[in-house]
Amino acid sequence: DAEVRRRLATRATPPGIAASNGGTEVGEEELTVLNALAAEPSHIDRVVETSRLPTPSVAAALLSLELKGLVRQLPGQLYIRL
């Protein structure tokens, strides 16, 4: 997704974090989860269904993406792509 790559390329890389194309590194599962999210809030169950990944993998990817500033968790297990 071009928008994700653009955002990643413009982010500063914190010390100790590997960089890919000048931005924060995003793993394959994280990218799959990120692509399963939309601009409107999505429940974690919908993300699991859309991504076709196991629930624990989606939960871990969402946490990682949230820490990287690419996803925000909202009340009610809803997530939104930033």
Side-chain angles (χ1 to χ4, degrees):
D1 180 55
E3 176 64 17
V4 172
R5 287 186 176 81
R6 184 193 65 75
R7 284 186 187 196
L8 292 176
T10 59
R11 292 191 177 278
T13 304
I17 300 291
S20 172
N21 298 326
T24 304
E25 185 176 304
V26 176
E28 188 175 322
E29 285 188 346
E30 291 172 331
L31 187 57
T32 299
V33 169
L34 198 55
N35 287 331
L37 291 169
E40 66 275 352
S42 300
H43 192 272
I44 189 170
D45 291 341
R46 173 63 99 184
V47 180
V48 169
E49 181 181 309
T50 304
S51 69
R52 297 184 176 190
L53 294 171
T55 302
S57 297
V58 170
L62 285 168
L63 175 60
S64 179
L65 290 166
E66 187 175 8
L67 293 172
K68 292 176 183 180
L70 299 173
V71 168
R72 178 179 297 148
Q73 182 179 9
L74 304 173
Q77 294 188 347
L78 296 173
Y79 290 85
I80 191 165
R81 183 178 176 164
L82 300 177

